Amino acid sequence: MNLDDTKNAVATAPDYVLAIAPYQAGKPIEELAREFKLDPANIVKLASNENPLGLPESARRAIADVISGLGRYPDPNGFDLKAALSARYGVPADWITLGNGSNDLLELASLALLAPGAAAVYSQHAFAVYRLATQARGARHIVVPAHDYGHDLDRMYDAIDNDTRLVFIANPNNPTGTFLPAGQIEAFLARVHDRWGGKVTVLLDEAYNEYLDPEFRFDSARWVEQYSNLIVSRTFSKAYGLAGLRVGFAMAQPKLTDVLNRVRQPFNVNSLAQVAAIAALGDAAFLQQSYELNKTGKQTLIDGFTRLGLEFVPSYGNFVLVRVGDAASVNLELLKKGVIVRPVAGDGLPEWLRVSIGLPEENARFLDALTATLGSS
Ligand SMILES: Cc1ncc(COP(=O)(O)O)c(C=O)c1O
């Protein structure tokens, strides 16, 4: 392709695609090592809400068993994984859609339900992919101001208009870590269903569900039975420790599931991810360990922030949002010290940093680096 062809190719993309501001992912360890001439082994990455325990051993063994079969395509319908999910959540297998990460499911819902002329409702400071997926479809954004950094469901309900086809809710939310109790979600679902029926789909994104304390957990699969306009998405990237494999799933009634599958790539979830997810789903000990490590680590970070007199948002996920003032400068100083966290200016939070909860030694490294940075500024 010569340069003129490139120009023409760009010129043919719709304006709404050209207007997309790409997703800012956490900086990879190797990139920081190159940039600042650091030893990758000494770099701490707390920037992408990954599980600091890494891949569960059960998943590693499951992967090893199927490597020799990788010359073949994966099961396009993920029969075994859907059967395992069906047994776990008590919904029929044909209510489940598998995704290449739960990100894929957010995009499938947008692809299936949005178009130019349609609109999506989501909250200020909500997960960035809602904006991207809406923008990529040329749909209108209805961004509802946050309340205490979290979703304001009353205002979100009021914001739904005749063009609205999709409402995104992240619970807990990323990057703020805020949480909506079951009663509030349930009341919202009932109101939207009563007023708009199947015209407006609600996508309840529960990527961090497994990190909730038991008293906050609720069985959202039961809402899927009740509400024909609801999609619940979950992921294996966080508490299950499979972020690099890319696997998530959605639960919805068959008509909605059918629509999602019409726009799904046939082989969107690879063979390694499918077997690893089945193994991880059955690994209750790993899940519990992940939950407990996160709870302790969260307290360590909160204690550290309190000592430093920093404001933070109480978090229900595996990360904490902390207000450091000039976040860009603080972030740069942390990077120079080999600590990667996530600046969130792109989410409308220029004074804040989001820190994923790591292993005890990683949390300590981060707090030491932060203390040194703030002390010298
Ligand atoms: C709220 C929320 N939803 C969905 C995702 C997507 O994760 P994945 O595609 O790895 O499942 C993330 C990832 O950070 C998230 O924070």
Side-chain angles (χ1 to χ4, degrees):
M1 194 189 265
N2 66 33
L3 196 61
D4 281 347
D5 290 341
T6 313
K7 277 186 194 151
N8 288 339
V10 170
T12 60
D15 286 350
Y16 56 79
V17 170
L18 297 176
I20 293 174
Y23 182 78
Q24 299 289 332
K27 193 186 269 292
I29 289 177
E30 295 69 23
E31 194 181 306
L32 180 68
R34 272 196 307 274
E35 255 177 47
F36 291 90
K37 304 210 168 11
L38 300 171
D39 176 358
N42 285 333
I43 292 176
V44 168
K45 184 183 174 211
L46 301 173
S48 300
N49 299 347
E50 295 148 338
N51 189 326
L53 293 171
L55 184 73
E57 196 48 44
S58 54
R60 187 188 301 273
R61 281 196 302 272
I63 288 170
D65 285 348
V66 298
I67 283 182
S68 60
L70 284 182
R72 297 197 183 279
Y73 283 104
D75 175 355
N77 294 313
F79 181 88
D80 291 335
L81 177 53
K82 283 188 189 174
L85 289 166
S86 168
R88 166 63 61 89
Y89 292 102
V91 298
D94 64 353
W95 291 34
I96 296 169
T97 307
L98 301 182
N100 184 25
S102 61
N103 212 315
D104 192 19
L105 298 155
L106 306 177
E107 289 186 358
L108 292 183
S110 306
L111 201 52
L113 301 167
L114 298 179
V121 170
Y122 56 89
S123 175
Q124 179 192 21
H125 311 316
F127 183 44
V129 167
Y130 308 155
R131 171 174 52 78
L132 291 173
T134 302
Q135 183 69 27
R137 295 298 291 143
R140 184 159 50 89
H141 306 254
I142 303 178
V143 185
V144 176
H147 174 72
D148 279 346
Y149 301 99
H151 295 54
D152 183 336
L153 289 185
D154 286 339
R155 285 182 82 168
M156 288 179 73
Y157 174 80
D158 291 340
I160 297 172
D161 66 12
N162 261 318
D163 299 332
T164 304
R165 294 290 171 277
L166 193 53
V167 178
F168 291 104
I169 297 175
N171 200 39
N173 183 43
N174 167 24
T176 60
T178 52
F179 173 71
L180 296 160
Q184 280 189 37
I185 301 256
E186 177 132 41
F188 178 81
L189 293 175
R191 284 175 85 193
V192 174
H193 189 264
D194 287 353
R195 168 86 172 84
W196 298 98
K199 199 173 158 190
V200 174
T201 297
V202 178
L203 194 153
L204 179 59
D205 172 353
E206 299 187 326
Y208 300 95
N209 176 272
E210 296 80 6
Y211 287 114
L212 291 174
D213 287 337
E215 66 268 30
F216 295 121
R217 292 187 197 156
F218 46 91
D219 188 359
S220 40
R222 303 290 72 80
W223 293 338
V224 173
E225 284 169 357
Q226 211 173 336
Y227 299 108
S228 56
N229 62 333
L230 174 65
I231 302 171
V232 170
S233 66
R234 298 268 183 105
T235 186
F236 285 94
S237 299
K238 310 295 177 185
Y240 288 104
L242 306 184
L245 283 166
R246 314 302 302 126
V247 52
F249 65 99
M251 299 180 279
Q253 290 191 14
K255 272 195 191 152
L256 253 185
T257 301
D258 173 58
V259 165
L260 295 180
N261 273 288
R262 283 169 195 254
V263 292
R264 184 178 65 82
Q265 275 186 53
F267 304 106
N268 64 333
V269 180
N270 69 74
S271 315
L272 303 183
Q274 291 188 31
V275 295
I278 294 170
L281 197 63
D283 195 342
F286 181 84
L287 202 61
Q288 184 63 21
Q289 194 189 353
S290 303
Y291 162 78
E292 281 166 15
L293 185 77
N294 190 61
K295 198 172 163 77
T296 325
K298 195 182 296 178
Q299 195 56 51
T300 304
L301 292 190
I302 288 172
D303 291 345
F305 297 150
T306 307
R307 249 191 335 267
L308 290 166
L310 298 174
E311 186 186 348
F312 60 89
V313 180
S315 171
Y316 292 79
N318 64 344
F319 53 89
V320 186
L321 190 67
V322 60
R323 190 175 216 151
V324 294
D326 182 357
S329 305
V330 173
N331 183 52
L332 184 62
E333 289 310 310
L334 291 174
L335 288 174
K336 287 182 191 162
K337 294 177 173 66
V339 176
I340 313 175
V341 298
R342 179 73 72 93
V344 284
D347 299 290
L349 297 160
E351 296 190 348
W352 300 75
L353 291 172
R354 191 198 67 192
V355 190
S356 305
I357 295 159
L359 298 170
E361 55 273 26
E362 295 174 324
N363 300 331
R365 262 287 299 282
F366 159 70
L367 285 172
D368 286 349
L370 183 65
T371 306
T373 299
L374 295 177
S376 65
S377 63

